[in-house]
Coordinates of all heavy atoms in Angstrom, one line a residue:
M154 N 15.6 8.1 0.2 CA 14.2 8.3 0.7 C 13.2 7.7 -0.3 O 13.3 8.0 -1.5 CB 14.0 9.8 0.8 CG 12.6 10.2 1.2 SD 12.3 12.0 1.0 CE 11.9 12.0 -0.8
I155 N 12.4 6.9 0.2 CA 11.3 6.4 -0.6 C 10.0 6.4 0.3 O 10.1 6.6 1.5 CB 11.5 4.9 -1.1 CG1 12.2 4.1 0.0 CG2 12.4 4.9 -2.3 CD1 11.2 3.2 0.7
Y156 N 8.9 6.1 -0.4 CA 7.6 6.1 0.3 C 7.2 4.7 0.7 O 7.6 3.7 0.0 CB 6.6 6.8 -0.5 CG 6.7 8.3 -0.4 CD1 7.7 9.0 -1.1 CD2 5.8 9.1 0.4 CE1 7.8 10.4 -1.0 CE2 5.9 10.5 0.5 CZ 6.9 11.1 -0.2 OH 7.1 12.5 -0.1
V157 N 6.5 4.6 1.8 CA 6.2 3.3 2.3 C 4.7 3.3 2.8 O 4.2 4.3 3.2 CB 7.1 3.0 3.6 CG1 6.7 1.8 4.4 CG2 8.6 2.9 3.2
I158 N 4.1 2.1 2.6 CA 2.7 2.0 3.1 C 2.7 1.2 4.5 O 3.3 0.1 4.5 CB 1.8 1.3 2.1 CG1 1.7 2.1 0.8 CG2 0.4 1.0 2.7 CD1 0.9 1.5 -0.3
A159 N 2.1 1.8 5.5 CA 2.1 1.2 6.8 C 0.7 0.6 7.2 O -0.2 0.6 6.4 CB 2.5 2.3 7.8
D160 N 0.6 0.2 8.4 CA -0.6 -0.6 8.9 C -2.0 0.0 8.7 O -2.9 -0.8 8.5 CB -0.4 -0.9 10.4 CG 0.7 -1.8 10.7 OD1 1.6 -1.9 9.9 OD2 0.7 -2.4 11.8
P161 N -2.1 1.3 8.7 CA -3.5 1.8 8.5 C -4.2 1.4 7.2 O -5.4 1.4 7.1 CB -3.3 3.4 8.5 CG -2.1 3.6 9.4 CD -1.2 2.4 9.0
C162 N -3.4 0.9 6.2 CA -4.0 0.4 5.0 C -4.7 -0.9 5.2 O -5.5 -1.3 4.4 CB -2.9 0.3 3.9 SG -3.5 -0.3 2.3
H163 N -4.3 -1.6 6.3 CA -4.9 -3.0 6.5 C -6.4 -3.0 6.3 O -7.1 -2.3 7.0 CB -4.5 -3.5 7.9 CG -3.1 -3.8 8.1 ND1 -2.6 -4.2 9.3 CD2 -2.1 -3.9 7.2 CE1 -1.3 -4.5 9.2 NE2 -1.0 -4.3 7.9
G164 N -6.8 -3.8 5.4 CA -8.3 -4.0 5.2 C -9.0 -2.8 4.6 O -10.2 -2.9 4.3
V165 N -8.2 -1.8 4.2 CA -8.9 -0.6 3.6 C -8.7 -0.7 2.1 O -9.6 -0.9 1.3 CB -8.3 0.7 4.1 CG1 -9.0 1.9 3.4 CG2 -8.4 0.8 5.6
C166 N -7.4 -0.6 1.7 CA -7.1 -0.9 0.3 C -8.0 -0.3 -0.8 O -8.5 -1.0 -1.7 CB -7.0 -2.4 0.0 SG -5.7 -3.2 0.8
D167 N -8.3 1.0 -0.6 CA -9.2 1.6 -1.6 C -8.5 1.9 -2.9 O -9.2 2.4 -3.8 CB -9.8 2.9 -1.0 CG -8.8 4.0 -0.8 OD1 -7.6 3.7 -0.7 OD2 -9.2 5.1 -0.9
T168 N -7.2 1.8 -3.0 CA -6.4 1.9 -4.2 C -6.4 3.4 -4.7 O -6.0 3.6 -5.8 CB -6.8 1.0 -5.4 OG1 -8.1 1.4 -5.9 CG2 -7.0 -0.4 -4.9
A169 N -6.7 4.4 -3.9 CA -6.6 5.8 -4.3 C -5.2 6.1 -4.6 O -4.9 6.9 -5.5 CB -7.1 6.7 -3.2
C170 N -4.2 5.6 -3.9 CA -2.8 5.9 -4.2 C -2.4 5.3 -5.5 O -1.6 6.0 -6.2 CB -2.0 5.2 -3.1 SG -2.3 3.5 -2.8
V171 N -2.9 4.2 -5.9 CA -2.5 3.6 -7.2 C -2.9 4.5 -8.3 O -2.1 4.7 -9.3 CB -3.3 2.2 -7.3 CG1 -3.0 1.6 -8.7 CG2 -2.9 1.3 -6.2
D172 N -4.0 5.2 -8.2 CA -4.5 6.0 -9.3 C -3.6 7.2 -9.6 O -3.6 7.7 -10.7 CB -5.9 6.5 -9.0 CG -6.9 5.3 -9.1 OD1 -6.7 4.3 -9.7 OD2 -8.0 5.5 -8.4
V173 N -2.9 7.6 -8.6 CA -2.0 8.8 -8.9 C -0.6 8.5 -9.1 O 0.2 9.4 -9.4 CB -2.2 9.8 -7.7 CG1 -3.6 10.3 -7.6 CG2 -1.7 9.3 -6.4
C174 N -0.2 7.3 -8.9 CA 1.3 6.9 -9.0 C 1.7 7.0 -10.4 O 1.2 6.2 -11.3 CB 1.5 5.6 -8.4 SG 3.3 5.1 -8.5
P175 N 2.7 7.8 -10.8 CA 3.1 7.9 -12.2 C 3.9 6.8 -12.7 O 4.1 6.6 -13.9 CB 3.9 9.2 -12.2 CG 4.4 9.4 -10.8 CD 3.4 8.8 -9.9
V176 N 4.4 5.9 -11.8 CA 5.2 4.8 -12.3 C 4.7 3.4 -11.9 O 5.3 2.4 -12.1 CB 6.7 4.9 -11.7 CG1 7.4 6.2 -12.2 CG2 6.7 5.0 -10.2
D177 N 3.4 3.4 -11.5 CA 2.7 2.1 -11.2 C 3.6 1.2 -10.4 O 3.7 0.0 -10.7 CB 2.4 1.4 -12.6 CG 1.3 2.1 -13.3 OD1 0.4 2.8 -12.7 OD2 1.3 2.1 -14.6
C178 N 4.0 1.8 -9.2 CA 4.9 0.9 -8.4 C 4.2 0.5 -7.1 O 4.8 0.0 -6.2 CB 6.2 1.7 -8.0 SG 5.9 3.1 -7.0
I179 N 2.8 0.6 -7.1 CA 2.1 0.2 -5.9 C 1.2 -1.1 -6.3 O 0.5 -1.1 -7.2 CB 1.1 1.3 -5.4 CG1 1.9 2.6 -5.2 CG2 0.4 0.9 -4.2 CD1 1.1 3.8 -4.8
H180 N 1.5 -2.1 -5.5 CA 0.8 -3.4 -5.8 C 0.3 -4.1 -4.5 O 0.7 -3.7 -3.4 CB 1.8 -4.3 -6.5 CG 2.3 -3.7 -7.8 ND1 1.6 -3.8 -9.0 CD2 3.4 -3.0 -8.1 CE1 2.3 -3.2 -9.9 NE2 3.4 -2.7 -9.4
G181 N -0.5 -5.1 -4.8 CA -1.1 -5.8 -3.6 C -0.9 -7.3 -3.8 O -0.4 -7.8 -4.9
P182 N -1.4 -8.1 -2.9 CA -1.2 -9.6 -2.9 C -2.1 -10.2 -4.0 O -2.0 -11.4 -4.2 CB -1.6 -10.0 -1.5 CG -2.5 -8.9 -1.0 CD -2.0 -7.7 -1.7
A183 N -3.0 -9.5 -4.6 CA -3.8 -10.0 -5.7 C -3.9 -8.9 -6.8 O -3.5 -7.8 -6.5 CB -5.2 -10.3 -5.2
P184 N -4.3 -9.3 -8.0 CA -4.4 -8.2 -9.0 C -5.3 -7.1 -8.5 O -6.3 -7.3 -7.9 CB -5.0 -9.0 -10.2 CG -4.6 -10.4 -10.0 CD -4.6 -10.6 -8.5
L185 N -4.9 -5.8 -8.8 CA -5.6 -4.7 -8.3 C -7.1 -4.7 -8.8 O -8.0 -4.3 -8.0 CB -4.9 -3.4 -8.7 CG -3.6 -3.2 -7.9 CD1 -2.8 -2.0 -8.4 CD2 -3.8 -3.1 -6.4
P186 N -7.4 -5.0 -10.1 CA -8.8 -5.1 -10.5 C -9.6 -6.0 -9.6 O -10.8 -5.7 -9.3 CB -8.7 -5.6 -11.9 CG -7.4 -5.2 -12.4 CD -6.5 -5.3 -11.2
E187 N -9.0 -7.1 -9.2 CA -9.7 -8.1 -8.3 C -9.9 -7.5 -6.9 O -11.0 -7.6 -6.4 CB -8.8 -9.3 -8.2 CG -9.5 -10.5 -7.5 CD -8.5 -11.7 -7.4 OE1 -8.0 -12.1 -8.5 OE2 -8.3 -12.2 -6.3
I188 N -8.9 -6.8 -6.4 CA -9.1 -6.2 -5.1 C -10.2 -5.1 -5.2 O -11.0 -5.0 -4.3 CB -7.7 -5.6 -4.6 CG1 -6.8 -6.7 -4.3 CG2 -7.9 -4.6 -3.4 CD1 -5.4 -6.2 -3.9
R189 N -10.1 -4.3 -6.2 CA -11.2 -3.3 -6.4 C -12.6 -3.9 -6.5 O -13.5 -3.4 -5.8 CB -10.9 -2.5 -7.6 CG -9.8 -1.5 -7.4 CD -9.6 -0.6 -8.7 NE -8.7 0.5 -8.4 CZ -7.8 1.0 -9.2 NH1 -7.6 0.4 -10.4 NH2 -7.1 2.0 -8.9
E190 N -12.7 -4.9 -7.2 CA -14.0 -5.5 -7.4 C -14.5 -6.1 -6.1 O -15.7 -5.9 -5.8 CB -13.9 -6.6 -8.5 CG -15.3 -7.1 -8.9 CD -15.2 -8.2 -10.0 OE1 -14.1 -8.4 -10.6 OE2 -16.2 -8.9 -10.2
T191 N -13.7 -6.8 -5.4 CA -14.1 -7.3 -4.1 C -14.6 -6.2 -3.2 O -15.6 -6.4 -2.5 CB -12.9 -8.1 -3.5 OG1 -12.5 -9.1 -4.4 CG2 -13.3 -8.7 -2.2
R192 N -13.8 -5.1 -3.2 CA -14.1 -4.0 -2.3 C -15.4 -3.4 -2.7 O -16.3 -3.0 -1.8 CB -13.0 -3.0 -2.3 CG -13.0 -2.0 -1.2 CD -11.8 -1.1 -1.2 NE -11.7 -0.3 0.0 CZ -12.4 0.8 0.2 NH1 -13.2 1.2 -0.7 NH2 -12.2 1.4 1.3
E193 N -15.6 -3.2 -4.0 CA -16.8 -2.5 -4.4 C -18.1 -3.3 -4.1 O -19.1 -2.8 -3.8 CB -16.7 -2.3 -5.9 CG -15.9 -1.0 -6.3 CD -15.5 -0.9 -7.7 OE1 -16.1 -1.7 -8.6 OE2 -14.6 -0.2 -8.0
Q194 N -17.9 -4.6 -4.2 CA -19.1 -5.5 -4.1 C -19.4 -5.8 -2.6 O -20.5 -5.9 -2.2 CB -18.9 -6.8 -4.8 CG -18.9 -6.6 -6.3 CD -18.7 -7.9 -7.1 OE1 -18.4 -8.9 -6.6 NE2 -18.8 -7.8 -8.4
G195 N -18.3 -5.9 -1.8 CA -18.6 -6.4 -0.4 C -18.0 -5.5 0.7 O -18.1 -5.8 1.8
G196 N -17.3 -4.4 0.3 CA -16.7 -3.6 1.3 C -15.5 -4.2 1.9 O -15.0 -5.2 1.5
E197 N -15.1 -3.5 3.0 CA -13.8 -3.9 3.6 C -14.0 -5.3 4.3 O -13.0 -6.0 4.4 CB -13.4 -2.9 4.7 CG -13.0 -1.6 4.0 CD -12.7 -0.5 5.0 OE1 -12.4 -0.8 6.2 OE2 -12.6 0.7 4.6
S198 N -15.2 -5.6 4.7 CA -15.3 -6.9 5.3 C -15.1 -8.1 4.3 O -14.5 -9.1 4.6 CB -16.7 -7.1 6.0 OG -17.7 -6.8 5.0
A199 N -15.5 -7.8 3.1 CA -15.3 -8.8 2.1 C -13.8 -9.0 1.7 O -13.3 -10.1 1.5 CB -16.1 -8.5 0.8
L200 N -13.1 -7.8 1.7 CA -11.7 -7.8 1.5 C -11.0 -8.7 2.5 O -10.1 -9.5 2.2 CB -11.1 -6.4 1.5 CG -11.0 -5.6 0.3 CD1 -10.3 -4.3 0.7 CD2 -10.2 -6.3 -0.8
K201 N -11.3 -8.4 3.8 CA -10.7 -9.2 4.9 C -11.0 -10.6 4.8 O -10.2 -11.5 5.1 CB -11.1 -8.5 6.2 CG -10.5 -7.2 6.4 CD -10.9 -6.6 7.8 CE -10.3 -5.2 8.0 NZ -10.7 -4.7 9.3
A202 N -12.2 -10.9 4.5 CA -12.6 -12.3 4.4 C -11.9 -13.1 3.4 O -11.5 -14.3 3.5 CB -14.2 -12.4 4.2
K203 N -11.6 -12.4 2.3 CA -11.0 -13.1 1.1 C -9.5 -13.1 1.2 O -8.9 -14.1 0.9 CB -11.4 -12.3 -0.2 CG -11.0 -13.0 -1.4 CD -11.7 -12.4 -2.6 CE -11.3 -13.1 -3.9 NZ -12.0 -12.5 -5.1
Y204 N -8.9 -12.1 1.7 CA -7.4 -12.0 1.7 C -6.8 -11.9 3.1 O -5.6 -11.8 3.2 CB -7.0 -10.7 1.0 CG -7.5 -10.6 -0.4 CD1 -8.5 -9.7 -0.8 CD2 -7.1 -11.5 -1.5 CE1 -9.0 -9.6 -2.1 CE2 -7.5 -11.4 -2.7 CZ -8.5 -10.5 -3.0 OH -9.0 -10.4 -4.3
G205 N -7.6 -11.9 4.2 CA -7.0 -11.8 5.5 C -7.1 -10.3 6.0 O -7.2 -9.4 5.3
D206 N -7.1 -10.2 7.4 CA -7.3 -8.9 8.0 C -6.2 -7.9 7.7 O -6.4 -6.7 7.8 CB -7.3 -9.1 9.6 CG -8.6 -9.7 10.0 OD1 -9.6 -9.8 9.2 OD2 -8.7 -10.1 11.2
K207 N -5.0 -8.5 7.4 CA -3.9 -7.6 7.2 C -3.6 -7.2 5.7 O -2.5 -6.8 5.3 CB -2.6 -8.2 7.8 CG -2.8 -8.2 9.3 CD -1.4 -8.3 10.0 CE -1.5 -8.1 11.5 NZ -0.2 -8.3 12.2
I208 N -4.6 -7.5 4.9 CA -4.4 -7.2 3.5 C -4.0 -5.7 3.3 O -4.7 -4.8 3.9 CB -5.6 -7.5 2.5 CG1 -5.2 -7.1 1.1 CG2 -6.9 -6.9 3.1 CD1 -6.2 -7.5 0.1
Q209 N -3.0 -5.4 2.6 CA -2.6 -4.0 2.3 C -1.9 -3.9 1.0 O -1.6 -5.0 0.4 CB -1.7 -3.5 3.4 CG -0.3 -4.1 3.4 CD 0.7 -3.3 4.2 OE1 0.8 -3.5 5.4 NE2 1.4 -2.4 3.5
L210 N -1.7 -2.7 0.5 CA -0.9 -2.5 -0.7 C 0.5 -2.2 -0.3 O 0.8 -1.8 0.9 CB -1.5 -1.5 -1.6 CG -2.9 -1.7 -2.1 CD1 -3.2 -0.7 -3.1 CD2 -3.1 -3.1 -2.6
Y211 N 1.5 -2.3 -1.2 CA 2.9 -2.1 -0.9 C 3.5 -1.3 -2.0 O 3.1 -1.3 -3.2 CB 3.6 -3.4 -0.8 CG 3.1 -4.4 0.2 CD1 2.1 -5.3 -0.1 CD2 3.6 -4.4 1.5 CE1 1.6 -6.2 0.8 CE2 3.1 -5.3 2.4 CZ 2.1 -6.2 2.1 OH 1.7 -7.0 3.0
I212 N 4.5 -0.5 -1.7 CA 5.3 0.3 -2.6 C 6.6 -0.3 -2.9 O 7.3 -0.7 -2.0 CB 5.5 1.8 -2.1 CG1 4.1 2.5 -2.0 CG2 6.4 2.5 -3.0 CD1 4.2 3.8 -1.3
D213 N 6.9 -0.5 -4.2 CA 8.1 -1.1 -4.6 C 9.3 -0.1 -4.5 O 9.3 0.9 -5.2 CB 8.0 -1.5 -6.1 CG 9.2 -2.3 -6.5 OD1 10.3 -2.2 -5.9 OD2 9.1 -3.0 -7.6
P214 N 10.2 -0.3 -3.5 CA 11.2 0.7 -3.3 C 12.2 0.8 -4.4 O 12.9 1.8 -4.5 CB 11.9 0.1 -2.0 CG 11.7 -1.3 -2.0 CD 10.3 -1.5 -2.7
E215 N 12.2 -0.1 -5.3 CA 13.1 -0.1 -6.5 C 12.5 0.8 -7.6 O 13.2 1.3 -8.4 CB 13.4 -1.5 -7.0 CG 14.0 -2.4 -6.1 CD 15.5 -2.1 -5.8 OE1 16.1 -1.7 -6.7 OE2 15.9 -2.4 -4.7
E216 N 11.2 1.0 -7.5 CA 10.6 1.7 -8.6 C 10.1 3.1 -8.2 O 9.9 4.0 -9.0 CB 9.3 0.9 -9.1 CG 9.7 -0.5 -9.6 CD 10.5 -0.5 -10.9 OE1 10.3 0.5 -11.7 OE2 11.3 -1.4 -11.2
C217 N 9.8 3.3 -6.9 CA 9.2 4.5 -6.4 C 10.2 5.7 -6.7 O 11.4 5.6 -6.5 CB 9.0 4.4 -4.9 SG 8.5 6.0 -4.1
I218 N 9.7 6.8 -7.3 CA 10.5 7.9 -7.6 C 10.4 9.0 -6.6 O 10.8 10.2 -6.8 CB 10.2 8.5 -9.0 CG1 8.8 8.9 -9.2 CG2 10.6 7.4 -10.1 CD1 8.4 9.6 -10.5
S219 N 9.7 8.7 -5.5 CA 9.6 9.6 -4.3 C 8.9 11.0 -4.7 O 9.3 12.0 -4.2 CB 11.0 9.9 -3.7 OG 11.5 8.7 -3.3
C220 N 7.9 10.9 -5.6 CA 7.3 12.1 -6.0 C 6.3 12.6 -5.0 O 6.0 13.8 -5.0 CB 6.5 11.9 -7.3 SG 5.1 10.8 -7.2
G221 N 5.9 11.8 -4.1 CA 5.0 12.2 -3.0 C 3.5 12.3 -3.4 O 2.7 12.7 -2.6
A222 N 3.2 12.0 -4.6 CA 1.8 12.2 -5.1 C 0.8 11.3 -4.3 O -0.4 11.7 -4.1 CB 1.7 11.9 -6.6
C223 N 1.2 10.1 -3.9 CA 0.3 9.2 -3.2 C -0.1 9.6 -1.8 O -1.2 9.4 -1.4 CB 0.9 7.8 -3.2 SG 2.6 7.8 -2.5
E224 N 0.9 10.2 -1.1 CA 0.7 10.5 0.3 C -0.6 11.2 0.7 O -1.4 10.8 1.5 CB 1.9 11.2 0.9 CG 1.9 11.4 2.4 CD 3.1 12.2 2.9 OE1 3.8 12.7 2.1 OE2 3.2 12.2 4.1
P225 N -0.9 12.4 0.0 CA -2.1 13.1 0.4 C -3.4 12.4 -0.1 O -4.5 12.8 0.4 CB -1.9 14.5 -0.3 CG -1.0 14.2 -1.4 CD -0.1 13.1 -1.0
E226 N -3.3 11.4 -1.0 CA -4.5 10.8 -1.5 C -5.0 9.7 -0.5 O -6.2 9.3 -0.6 CB -4.2 10.1 -2.8 CG -3.8 11.0 -3.9 CD -4.9 12.1 -4.2 OE1 -6.1 11.7 -4.3 OE2 -4.6 13.3 -4.3
C227 N -4.2 9.3 0.4 CA -4.6 8.2 1.3 C -5.6 8.6 2.3 O -5.3 9.5 3.1 CB -3.4 7.6 1.9 SG -3.9 6.2 3.0
P228 N -6.8 8.1 2.4 CA -7.8 8.5 3.3 C -7.5 8.1 4.8 O -8.2 8.7 5.7 CB -9.1 7.8 2.8 CG -8.6 6.6 2.2 CD -7.3 7.0 1.5
V229 N -6.6 7.2 5.0 CA -6.3 6.8 6.3 C -4.9 7.1 6.8 O -4.4 6.6 7.8 CB -6.6 5.3 6.5 CG1 -8.1 5.0 6.4 CG2 -5.9 4.5 5.5
D230 N -4.2 8.0 6.0 CA -2.8 8.4 6.3 C -1.9 7.2 6.6 O -1.2 7.1 7.6 CB -2.8 9.3 7.6 CG -3.5 10.6 7.3 OD1 -3.5 11.1 6.1 OD2 -4.1 11.2 8.3
A231 N -1.9 6.3 5.6 CA -1.1 5.1 5.7 C 0.3 5.3 5.0 O 1.1 4.4 5.1 CB -1.8 3.9 5.1
I232 N 0.5 6.3 4.3 CA 1.7 6.5 3.5 C 2.6 7.5 4.1 O 2.2 8.6 4.4 CB 1.3 6.9 2.0 CG1 0.3 5.9 1.4 CG2 2.6 7.0 1.2 CD1 -0.2 6.2 0.0
F233 N 3.9 7.1 4.2 CA 4.9 7.9 4.8 C 6.2 7.8 4.0 O 6.5 6.8 3.4 CB 5.3 7.4 6.2 CG 4.1 7.4 7.2 CD1 3.2 6.4 7.2 CD2 3.9 8.5 8.0 CE1 2.1 6.4 8.1 CE2 2.8 8.5 8.9 CZ 1.9 7.5 8.9
E234 N 7.0 8.9 4.1 CA 8.4 8.7 3.7 C 9.1 7.8 4.7 O 8.7 7.8 5.9 CB 9.2 10.1 3.7 CG 8.8 11.0 2.7 CD 9.5 12.3 2.8 OE1 10.7 12.3 3.2 OE2 8.9 13.4 2.5
D235 N 10.0 7.0 4.2 CA 10.6 6.0 5.1 C 11.2 6.7 6.4 O 11.1 6.2 7.5 CB 11.6 5.1 4.4 CG 12.7 5.8 3.7 OD1 12.7 7.1 3.6 OD2 13.6 5.2 3.1
E236 N 11.8 7.8 6.2 CA 12.4 8.5 7.3 C 11.4 9.1 8.3 O 11.7 9.5 9.4 CB 13.3 9.6 6.8 CG 14.6 9.0 6.1 CD 15.2 10.0 5.1 OE1 14.8 11.2 5.2 OE2 16.1 9.6 4.4
E237 N 10.1 9.2 7.8 CA 9.1 9.8 8.7 C 8.2 8.8 9.3 O 7.2 9.1 9.9 CB 8.2 10.8 7.8 CG 9.0 11.8 7.1 CD 9.5 13.0 8.0 OE1 8.8 13.2 9.0 OE2 10.5 13.6 7.8
L238 N 8.5 7.5 9.1 CA 7.6 6.5 9.6 C 7.5 6.6 11.2 O 8.5 6.7 11.8 CB 8.1 5.1 9.3 CG 7.7 4.4 8.0 CD1 8.6 3.2 7.7 CD2 6.2 4.0 8.0
P239 N 6.3 6.5 11.7 CA 6.1 6.5 13.2 C 6.8 5.2 13.7 O 6.9 4.2 13.0 CB 4.6 6.4 13.4 CG 4.0 7.0 12.1 CD 5.0 6.6 11.0
E240 N 7.4 5.4 14.9 CA 8.1 4.3 15.5 C 7.4 2.9 15.5 O 7.9 1.9 15.2 CB 8.5 4.7 16.9 CG 9.3 3.7 17.7 CD 10.7 3.6 17.1 OE1 11.2 4.6 16.5 OE2 11.3 2.5 17.1
K241 N 6.1 3.0 15.8 CA 5.3 1.8 15.9 C 5.2 1.1 14.5 O 4.8 -0.1 14.5 CB 3.9 2.1 16.4 CG 3.1 3.0 15.6 CD 1.8 3.4 16.3 CE 1.1 4.5 15.6 NZ -0.2 4.9 16.3
W242 N 5.4 1.8 13.4 CA 5.4 1.1 12.1 C 6.7 1.1 11.4 O 6.8 1.0 10.2 CB 4.3 1.8 11.2 CG 3.0 1.8 11.8 CD1 2.4 0.8 12.4 CD2 2.0 2.9 11.8 NE1 1.1 1.1 12.8 CE2 0.8 2.4 12.4 CE3 2.0 4.1 11.3 CZ2 -0.3 3.1 12.6 CZ3 0.8 4.9 11.4 CH2 -0.3 4.4 12.1
A243 N 7.8 1.2 12.2 CA 9.1 1.2 11.7 C 9.5 0.1 10.8 O 10.3 0.2 9.9 CB 10.1 1.3 12.8
G244 N 8.8 -1.1 11.0 CA 9.1 -2.3 10.2 C 8.5 -2.3 8.9 O 8.7 -3.1 8.0
S245 N 7.6 -1.3 8.6 CA 6.9 -1.3 7.3 C 7.8 -1.1 6.1 O 7.5 -1.6 5.0 CB 5.9 -0.1 7.3 OG 4.9 -0.4 8.3
A246 N 8.9 -0.4 6.3 CA 9.8 -0.2 5.1 C 10.3 -1.6 4.6 O 10.3 -1.9 3.4 CB 11.0 0.7 5.5
Q247 N 10.7 -2.4 5.6 CA 11.2 -3.7 5.3 C 10.1 -4.6 4.7 O 10.3 -5.3 3.8 CB 11.8 -4.4 6.5 CG 12.7 -5.6 6.2 CD 13.9 -5.3 5.3 OE1 14.6 -4.4 5.6 NE2 14.0 -6.0 4.3
L248 N 8.9 -4.5 5.3 CA 7.8 -5.3 4.8 C 7.4 -4.9 3.4 O 7.1 -5.8 2.6 CB 6.5 -5.0 5.7 CG 6.5 -5.7 7.1 CD1 5.3 -5.2 7.9 CD2 6.6 -7.2 6.9
N249 N 7.5 -3.6 3.0 CA 7.2 -3.2 1.7 C 8.2 -3.8 0.7 O 7.9 -4.4 -0.3 CB 7.1 -1.7 1.5 CG 5.8 -1.1 1.9 OD1 5.1 -0.4 1.2 ND2 5.4 -1.3 3.2
A250 N 9.5 -3.7 1.1 CA 10.6 -4.2 0.3 C 10.5 -5.7 0.1 O 10.7 -6.3 -1.0 CB 11.9 -3.8 0.8
D251 N 10.2 -6.4 1.2 CA 10.2 -7.9 1.2 C 9.0 -8.4 0.3 O 9.2 -9.4 -0.3 CB 9.9 -8.4 2.6 CG 11.2 -8.3 3.5 OD1 12.3 -8.0 2.9 OD2 11.1 -8.5 4.7
F252 N 8.0 -7.6 0.3 CA 6.8 -8.1 -0.6 C 7.3 -8.3 -2.0 O 6.9 -9.2 -2.7 CB 5.7 -7.0 -0.5 CG 4.5 -7.3 -1.4 CD1 3.6 -8.3 -1.1 CD2 4.4 -6.7 -2.7 CE1 2.5 -8.6 -1.9 CE2 3.4 -7.0 -3.5 CZ 2.4 -7.9 -3.2
F253 N 8.2 -7.4 -2.5 CA 8.6 -7.5 -3.9 C 9.7 -8.5 -4.1 O 9.9 -9.0 -5.2 CB 9.0 -6.1 -4.4 CG 7.8 -5.2 -4.5 CD1 7.5 -4.3 -3.4 CD2 6.9 -5.2 -5.6 CE1 6.3 -3.5 -3.5 CE2 5.8 -4.4 -5.6 CZ 5.5 -3.6 -4.5
K254 N 10.4 -8.8 -3.1 CA 11.5 -9.8 -3.2 C 10.8 -11.2 -3.3 O 11.4 -12.1 -4.0 CB 12.3 -9.8 -1.9 CG 13.3 -8.7 -1.8 CD 14.2 -8.8 -0.6 CE 14.9 -7.5 -0.4 NZ 15.2 -7.3 1.0
K255 N 9.7 -11.4 -2.8 CA 9.0 -12.7 -2.8 C 8.5 -12.9 -4.2 O 8.2 -14.1 -4.6 CB 7.8 -12.7 -1.8 CG 8.2 -12.9 -0.4 CD 7.0 -13.0 0.5 CE 7.2 -12.4 1.8 NZ 6.1 -11.7 2.4
K256 N 8.3 -11.9 -5.0 CA 7.6 -12.0 -6.3 C 8.5 -12.7 -7.3 O 9.7 -12.6 -7.3 CB 7.2 -10.7 -6.8 CG 5.9 -10.2 -6.1 CD 5.3 -9.1 -6.9 CE 3.8 -9.1 -6.7 NZ 3.1 -8.1 -7.5
Ligands
SF4_182 S1 5.9 8.6 -4.0 FE1 5.2 8.8 -6.2 S2 6.3 7.1 -7.2 FE2 6.4 6.6 -5.0 S3 4.7 5.3 -4.7 FE3 4.0 7.4 -4.3 S4 3.1 8.1 -6.2 FE4 4.3 6.3 -6.7
SF4_183 S1 -4.7 5.1 -0.5 FE1 -4.0 4.4 1.5 S2 -5.6 3.0 2.2 FE2 -5.9 3.3 0.0 S3 -4.7 1.5 -0.9 FE3 -3.3 3.3 -0.8 S4 -2.2 3.1 1.2 FE4 -4.0 1.8 1.3

């Protein structure tokens, strides 16, 4: 069992989950300070303009210790245990894992 970030994070990326993760296993397609700065300066529209509509953060399944700290912090309920993922976002577990394979 690991935790996974699904579609509701798209274009939101407020990084609240990052702040509570004890093992720093949540990452995005750009350095987190850069994502935060873009969001602070231009909001979600600026994030989407710079990184695409589907920008989201991802949880590294090799590093996540399944502590659950991130789940209640997410303002848009984007974080799930892999076994609890809604059917429509079932592919998110693989997407999160694939993100770290590309690195
Ligand atoms: S469940 Fe815990 S270790 Fe895993 S991503 Fe969330 S905060 Fe980090
Ligand atoms: S708290 Fe939720 S919306 Fe914010 S970055 Fe994490 S998963 Fe995305």
Side-chain angles (χ1 to χ4, degrees):
M154 178 192 82
I155 42 101
Y156 281 73
V157 170
I158 298 178
D160 292 22
C162 182
H163 287 173
V165 182
C166 288
D167 70 332
T168 72
C170 53
V171 174
D172 291 338
V173 298
C174 180
V176 294
D177 290 331
C178 70
I179 305 175
H180 300 278
L185 291 173
E187 187 182 307
I188 289 175
R189 282 183 166 140
E190 191 181 344
T191 302
R192 194 176 192 281
E193 277 165 19
Q194 290 180 353
E197 293 177 16
S198 56
L200 266 183
K201 290 181 181 178
K203 189 166 182 181
Y204 304 109
D206 286 349
K207 292 197 170 178
I208 179 174
Q209 69 162 88
L210 302 191
Y211 301 90
I212 293 173
D213 186 341
E215 302 285 327
E216 301 290 332
C217 175
I218 58 171
S219 303
C220 70
C223 54
E224 186 183 9
E226 296 301 316
C227 180
V229 292
D230 295 331
I232 304 175
F233 299 87
E234 288 179 33
D235 53 358
E236 290 157 13
E237 304 284 333
L238 269 169
E240 183 66 31
K241 58 186 170 182
W242 300 321
S245 294
Q247 193 63 50
L248 285 174
N249 278 239
D251 287 349
F252 176 79
F253 294 94
K254 283 185 196 150
K255 285 183 212 143
K256 283 194 150 186

